[in-house]
Amino acid sequence: MAPEPIFCNMLKASYTSYQLIFKTPGGTSRGILTQKKSWFINIWDDSNPEITGTGECSVLPNLSPDDHPDLEEKIKEVCNTIHRLVPEELYLTKPVGQSQSENFHLLLAHWPAIRFALETALIDLKQGGRKILLPSPFTNGEKGIPINGLIWMGSPDQMAQQIEEKLNSGFKCLKMKIGAINFDEEYDILKTLRSRFSSNELELRVDANGAFSFSEVPELLEKLARLDIHSIEQPIKAGQWDKMAQLCESSPLPVALDEELIGINNTDEKERMISTIRPQYIILKPSLTGGFTASQQWIDTASKYHAGWWVTSALESNIGLNAIAQWTYTLKNPLPQGLGTGQVFSNNIPSPLVIKNGHLWLQQ
């Protein structure tokens, strides 16, 4: 029998909330976002209280498992009991993010955004509270991360304007959300783009957020394939494994799973889902999948079944985005990542993160 862990009575924690305001309303197939709330969890060692690690609990309305009336009460409980969540040997020796405490999984199984916040706060604390969680050429400002330019849903004119802005900013990969306005109008926008730029010049991805019915998707996929679209994210609603498996098997363009990953915490269940659906790609959002350790489990499982992947932020503030970007760089994935959301808020937390020529940089 394994010895019982000794918990870290030195740790203390507190939290604050922050309302993020969108510069321009963000349109998705689930509705229009004008603001969203985040909570910042601060953790410190009582023997050295001037050094604090910070993590962000970011929740997307009607999507995140943490989107629950009791969320703030749960965050308060976690802060009050932090010394019972983190074993001493984990805090003092093991690098959080590679070997996560079982307590995170068992006690916070249905709170992935809180798990992500705790994990990043602990890494930050162990690195000295400087927001440099995973030192690398990225954190040194020597290397950038290629990212896609995100095109929000809106009127055709609004979407066309967004596209021109991204192209003028040097993006070589655009991801367009589809499924909110008439598909023919969305298709015409994509068709016009492809007439201007070949797939070698501009990569196009689309994200349906589960907007389409199973019966209508095959025809839509055929049309999109004519435009040499890189991939489509979540064409139908999550939870329809057999139908999604049929689409992945027959689709003329790659299918990427996004919402499908949410709420699956057990390693065996992850493998059962991937082995059933056999997607071409999976999309990792640490705030929705439970942090870096849990996301790495998804990567390992996907790789076992020859599925590709990339990482996407989930409308975190620059606190969460900074952590996700640093982790993403360490993975050495050459595909454009979905890390361009830091520009969407008018009151984002000040940060050295900048976007230049379709790349995310950290400039100290």
Side-chain angles (χ1 to χ4, degrees):
M1 181 179 294
E4 288 292 323
I6 299 172
F7 294 107
C8 191
N9 292 320
M10 298 178 294
L11 288 183
K12 306 292 182 183
S14 66
Y15 75 93
T16 56
S17 62
Y18 192 74
Q19 193 80 10
L20 290 154
I21 309 298
F22 283 74
K23 292 178 182 176
T24 303
T28 76
S29 60
R30 290 185 298 272
I32 296 175
L33 299 173
T34 58
Q35 58 186 21
K36 69 168 291 292
K37 197 172 185 178
S38 280
W39 291 260
F40 302 127
I41 296 179
N42 302 298
I43 301 179
W44 65 94
D45 186 321
D46 214 24
S47 65
N48 194 10
E50 64 271 16
I51 297 177
T52 301
T54 303
E56 179 176 358
C57 175
S58 175
V59 174
L60 291 176
N62 303 315
L63 180 62
S64 300
D66 307 71
D67 183 25
H68 192 278
D70 296 332
L71 171 59
E72 188 157 342
E73 192 62 34
K74 187 66 178 181
I75 294 172
K76 182 178 180 180
E77 175 192 323
V78 164
C79 289
N80 289 338
T81 60
I82 190 68
H83 57 287
R84 294 205 298 268
L85 283 171
V86 184
E88 191 170 88
E89 73 273 13
L90 175 69
Y91 166 57
L92 295 177
T93 59
K94 295 181 182 178
V96 179
Q98 295 179 20
S99 179
Q100 195 182 88
S101 166
E102 281 300 308
N103 284 50
F104 280 71
H105 291 292
L106 296 175
L107 301 180
L108 299 171
H110 303 295
W111 305 91
I114 297 180
R115 282 162 52 195
F116 170 65
L118 290 181
E119 188 179 31
T120 53
L122 284 166
I123 299 172
D124 186 26
L125 176 62
K126 292 172 74 170
Q127 292 288 359
R130 300 177 298 114
K131 306 298 180 287
I132 303 297
L133 285 71
L134 300 165
S136 71
F138 174 71
T139 61
N140 292 339
E142 300 166 7
K143 297 283 187 178
I145 301 171
I147 62 174
N148 63 246
L150 178 61
I151 309 302
W152 292 92
M153 292 174 177
S155 70
D157 287 344
Q158 290 171 331
M159 296 174 80
Q161 180 181 346
Q162 292 180 66
I163 288 169
E164 291 305 318
E165 290 172 354
K166 298 299 182 186
L167 293 174
N168 291 335
S169 297
F171 283 91
K172 301 300 182 184
C173 175
L174 299 182
K175 183 177 91 168
M176 193 170 104
K177 288 185 174 290
I178 62 173
I181 63 175
N182 182 278
F183 176 77
D184 290 337
E185 293 180 324
E186 294 167 338
Y187 184 80
D188 286 342
I189 294 171
L190 292 165
K191 186 177 180 180
T192 299
L193 258 179
R194 185 53 81 219
S195 70
R196 294 171 58 190
F197 304 97
S198 71
S199 58
N200 291 327
E201 297 171 299
L202 181 67
E203 181 175 295
L204 293 176
R205 302 171 177 174
V206 295
D207 182 3
N209 290 128
F212 302 118
S213 67
F214 177 71
S215 61
E216 68 182 322
V217 167
E219 181 182 352
L220 304 184
L221 294 179
E222 290 288 345
K223 292 186 69 173
L224 291 169
R226 296 173 202 153
L227 303 181
D228 206 3
I229 301 297
H230 173 271
S231 56
I232 181 170
E233 292 183 34
Q234 204 69 42
I236 62 174
K237 290 186 183 299
Q240 305 175 80
W241 290 10
D242 290 340
K243 290 180 178 179
M244 188 68 85
Q246 292 179 50
L247 292 176
C248 289
E249 184 178 16
S250 62
S251 176
L253 73 156
V255 174
L257 303 185
D258 182 353
E259 288 89 344
E260 205 74 63
L261 279 61
I262 298 172
I264 300 179
N265 301 299
N266 180 277
T267 303
D268 292 340
E269 188 74 355
K270 291 176 181 179
E271 179 153 2
R272 191 169 76 86
M273 189 271 276
I274 295 293
S275 64
T276 298
I277 296 179
R278 298 293 181 106
Q280 284 76 31
Y281 293 100
I282 62 171
I283 313 299
L284 300 158
K285 294 178 177 174
S287 285
L288 294 171
T289 55
F292 302 145
T293 303
S295 296
Q296 185 63 54
Q297 290 174 351
W298 277 115
I299 291 173
D300 294 342
T301 302
S303 299
K304 184 176 177 180
Y305 292 93
H306 310 292
W309 54 271
W310 63 84
V311 179
T312 300
S313 53
L315 296 176
E316 296 85 0
S317 77
N318 281 329
I319 296 293
L321 178 60
N322 174 58
I324 294 169
Q326 292 186 33
W327 174 69
T328 300
Y329 180 84
T330 68
L331 302 176
K332 306 299 183 186
N333 186 332
L335 295 176
Q337 308 295 303
L339 303 176
T341 57
Q343 296 179 317
V344 304
F345 302 117
S346 62
N347 62 336
N348 208 337
I349 306 299
S351 166
L353 292 171
V354 296
I355 295 176
K356 295 190 301 184
N357 294 321
H359 287 67
L360 183 68
W361 293 81
L362 196 155
Q363 297 184 336
Q364 297 287 6

